[in-house]
Amino acid sequence: MFACAQTETLLTIKSSGDQTVSRHIYGHFSEHLGRCIYDGFWVDENSTIPNKGRIRLDVVEALKKIKVPNLRWPGGCFADEYHWRDGIGPRDQRPKMVNTNWGGVIEDNSFGTHEFLDLCKMLDCEPYIAGNVGSGTVEEMAKWVEYLNFDGVSPMTAIRKQNGMDKPWKVSFWGVGNESWGCGGNMTADYYSDLYRRYATYARDYAGAPLKRIASGANAEDYNWTETCMKNIGPGRMWGLTLHYYTLPTGNWKSKGSATKFDEEQYFNTMKNCLRMEEIVSKHAAIMDKYDPKKRVALVVDEWGIWTDVEPGTNPGFLYQQNSLRDALIAGTTLNIFNNHSDRVKMANLAQTINVLQALILTEKDKMLLTPTYHVFDLYKLHMDAKYLPINFASPDYKLGDKKIAALNVSASQDSTGAVHISLVNLDPKNKISLNTDLGNLKWKTVTGQILTSAQLTDINTFAVSNKVVNAKFSGAKKSGNMLKVELPAKSIVVLELK
Ligand code: AHR
């Protein structure tokens, strides 16, 4: 009997061009949905949880560590029913409303414009506000922008000053509606693109505060929506066009599958659905290329992540789900896809930051835990605003029965100090991958790394054991001559730093 020679996957990484991996790919999303804002970021008036102006400090500290670049608010579907003037002024005088999209709960508007912008200041991130097109008027949106961004004498600035904010915030990222094909008004692409032009006209650029206007884009494979918006709106009138794509374990909205109880078959299907992001982004980008060959319009994937059934016993309208190693593999894979499309994908927002869908953070009264997904963002922050390095390789297969998907996905970048960062994901739950990497003329002497993995794909962090799935030092990479050799363990995410 002869032992089989270990096959190696060859990667080549080159320095070429000056494409940047925008830090805004690492953005997040906070909707008035379930326990994201209320009970997530925002605590009761008399809460004993450490807070500043009712914003939880443990959450702020955790999010600052991963350098959140932008935060999207107030929705989601909620954005198209939100009337911003209900969320300013003395809190005890703010009207209450029903949150029809998410559980029919009463929204007391205690968290509004000022509170959101205070939060962004604490996080040191850029606000990304979605204006109401579905049920709001052009005037309402125009006045919100004036309130936020004008530094002169006007009715809106007078109210802002009365509310304690002398100077404008100068918000830049501006969403013109959300999911206008669905919860944002059930419009056709033609009708929306006309409306976009109208709303966007009166959402003015004030001195020192030009808007980056973002049109509400397609749902998953709705390529006609992208085609119509690109044709009717055109590159000169928008900074970005959005895309929403969620990974559903079963692919079925009625029974999506559990966040924590799944077998290998369901894991395989989930990852297959996750990998569809590559094809979806490529096809939307190709349509955009036709109308915008200079790539002036950003593809903004401002909702992505895994969407499972809610945790048993929780409000179905609150979208609360746990987060396992499988979620981390989805995050690592999706961020690699975005990095590799950073010529077009300039912004993305994981749904959602706290207690909703693929959350970074879960809270329970005064307790807080960081999910496996959080740890991926902690690893990948090294790519932010770094120079993109193209990679070539042929992935080994991850096979299950007679089905197969690519086991390996990778992205790489070089930061301003010259350090090279490579993020590697092995989706195969049983087999390691041996890699041999040629870095061409990139100079490096040492390699260090961190790994995120765990014994089981279903492993999660809980309030009792919050550190089961956490980053650890990785010692499976070494320099061999000019080559980088890596032993990438099964079901793992590894980020290497070469200096
Ligand atoms: O993220 C949850 C919801 O999913 C958002 O409100 C909506 O835009 C999408 O359908």
Side-chain angles (χ1 to χ4, degrees):
M1 282 273 284
F2 296 99
C4 274
Q6 171 78 54
T7 51
E8 274 184 341
T9 298
L10 181 68
L11 280 83
T12 51
I13 303 184
K14 277 201 206 103
S15 175
S16 78
D18 54 5
Q19 187 175 315
T20 298
V21 176
S22 168
R23 68 180 183 284
H24 290 296
I25 286 177
Y26 293 84
H28 293 283
F29 176 28
S30 52
E31 181 167 6
H32 288 238
L33 192 180
R35 295 170 52 243
C36 183
I37 300 285
Y38 301 107
D39 235 13
F41 283 109
W42 188 243
V43 295
D44 285 347
E45 219 169 346
N46 302 316
S47 174
T48 54
I49 299 169
N51 69 85
K52 187 170 167 216
R54 293 180 66 177
I55 294 170
R56 267 184 92 132
L57 290 173
D58 50 359
V59 158
V60 168
E61 193 191 331
L63 294 175
K64 279 192 84 167
K65 183 165 180 258
I66 58 167
K67 301 191 171 146
V68 171
N70 69 75
L71 191 61
R72 180 171 183 247
W73 175 86
C77 296
F78 182 79
D80 281 296
E81 258 185 326
Y82 183 63
H83 300 284
W84 69 273
R85 292 187 77 159
D86 295 346
I88 56 169
R91 287 199 195 111
D92 57 354
Q93 289 167 33
R94 295 184 192 177
K96 295 186 171 52
M97 66 180 278
V98 52
N99 190 335
T100 53
N101 284 290
W102 306 119
V105 293
I106 299 305
E107 159 70 54
D108 70 1
N109 277 307
S110 57
F111 189 93
T113 298
H114 289 249
E115 291 77 12
F116 172 65
L117 290 158
D118 284 348
L119 169 62
C120 290
K121 192 168 174 213
M122 285 165 81
L123 294 175
D124 196 17
C125 77
E126 281 203 55
Y128 169 19
I129 296 183
N132 180 345
V133 171
S135 71
T137 62
V138 175
E139 182 190 7
E140 183 181 357
M141 186 185 285
K143 285 189 166 158
W144 200 3
V145 176
E146 182 184 319
Y147 187 88
L148 293 163
N149 285 358
F150 184 45
D151 194 8
V153 178
S154 82
M156 289 306 110
T157 56
I159 301 173
R160 185 186 73 222
K161 287 179 191 191
Q162 240 173 45
N163 290 334
M165 190 67 187
D166 204 38
K167 287 287 171 194
W169 289 275
K170 300 192 175 173
V171 170
S172 167
F173 293 119
W174 191 258
V176 180
N178 168 75
E179 296 197 349
S180 304
W181 40 263
C183 65
N186 283 305
M187 303 176 201
T188 63
D190 278 310
Y191 181 66
Y192 170 73
S193 45
D194 277 351
L195 271 193
Y196 171 91
R197 291 169 69 126
R198 189 162 157 243
Y199 278 74
T201 300
Y202 300 98
R204 300 287 189 194
D205 288 337
Y206 290 99
L211 287 180
K212 293 193 172 100
R213 294 173 189 78
I214 300 175
S216 168
N219 180 26
E221 302 98 334
D222 183 355
Y223 302 112
N224 174 57
W225 189 278
T226 297
E227 181 98 41
T228 308
C229 288
M230 289 304 292
K231 188 164 56 178
N232 293 358
I233 299 171
R237 287 193 182 87
M238 58 183 160
W239 179 86
L241 177 63
T242 71
L243 165 68
H244 290 179
Y245 175 64
Y246 285 98
T247 296
L248 268 58
T250 60
N252 173 356
W253 281 100
K254 287 207 172 113
S255 173
K256 297 176 273 295
S258 159
T260 53
K261 294 183 180 60
F262 52 89
D263 57 14
E264 191 179 343
E265 171 94 27
Q266 191 161 107
Y267 166 73
F268 181 94
N269 292 336
T270 307
M271 298 322 298
K272 193 170 175 202
N273 290 340
C274 163
L275 287 167
R276 282 181 51 221
M277 183 68 95
E278 169 63 38
E279 180 189 322
I280 291 172
V281 165
S282 301
K283 288 190 171 166
H284 285 288
I287 295 167
M288 294 174 82
D289 285 351
K290 264 201 316 189
Y291 297 90
D292 174 32
K294 292 195 179 136
K295 300 185 194 288
R296 286 188 291 161
V297 182
L299 183 58
V300 177
V301 192
D302 61 1
E303 289 189 29
W304 67 272
I306 182 173
W307 192 324
T308 68
D309 294 335
V310 297
E311 286 306 303
T314 65
N315 186 331
F318 280 17
L319 311 186
Y320 177 77
Q321 61 191 50
Q322 246 294 358
N323 197 288
S324 68
L325 176 62
R326 177 178 68 173
D327 297 60
L329 292 159
I330 289 170
T333 299
T334 308
L335 292 170
N336 278 342
I337 293 171
F338 294 161
N339 289 348
N340 289 325
H341 283 278
S342 50
D343 59 334
R344 185 59 84 176
V345 178
K346 310 265 187 213
M347 189 166 179
N349 301 77
L350 175 67
Q352 299 195 7
T353 321
I354 312 179
N355 296 328
V356 171
L357 299 177
Q358 188 170 350
L360 299 173
I361 293 175
L362 302 178
T363 63
E364 198 177 87
K365 299 201 173 79
D366 61 331
K367 293 197 198 108
M368 176 197 87
L369 71 81
L370 305 175
T371 65
T373 297
Y374 172 93
H375 295 298
V376 174
F377 277 82
D378 196 17
L379 292 179
Y380 277 54
K381 67 187 177 197
L382 296 165
H383 288 304
M384 287 189 197
D385 284 341
K387 190 173 115 176
Y388 170 67
L389 299 174
I391 307 181
N392 267 313
F393 66 97
S395 170
D397 292 332
Y398 158 32
K399 292 191 187 127
L400 188 68
D402 55 3
K403 300 183 293 188
K404 60 181 186 196
I405 55 173
L408 176 69
N409 63 79
V410 190
S411 69
S413 67
Q414 185 172 36
D415 72 13
S416 55
T417 70
V420 171
H421 297 111
I422 311 173
S423 42
L424 304 136
V425 179
N426 180 3
L427 298 180
D428 191 318
K430 296 195 190 89
N431 301 301
K432 69 171 184 178
I433 303 175
S434 301
L435 300 166
N436 197 7
T437 308
D438 179 353
L439 285 116
N441 55 6
L442 289 160
K443 300 269 172 285
W444 62 287
K445 288 190 185 125
T446 60
V447 55
T448 52
Q450 290 204 76
I451 183 166
L452 183 64
T453 188
S454 196
Q456 306 296 328
L457 287 163
T458 48
D459 281 350
I460 59 174
N461 293 332
T462 64
F463 292 102
V465 183
S466 62
N467 60 353
K468 187 161 192 159
V469 193
V470 289
N471 296 333
K473 188 169 178 262
F474 178 67
S475 46
K478 64 173 194 287
K479 192 166 199 277
S480 166
N482 281 333
M483 303 294 279
L484 168 70
K485 300 251 185 195
V486 186
E487 294 293 302
L488 186 63
K491 51 174 163 37
S492 72
I493 299 132
V494 165
V495 174
L496 300 175
E497 178 166 78
L498 278 62
K499 282 185 165 170

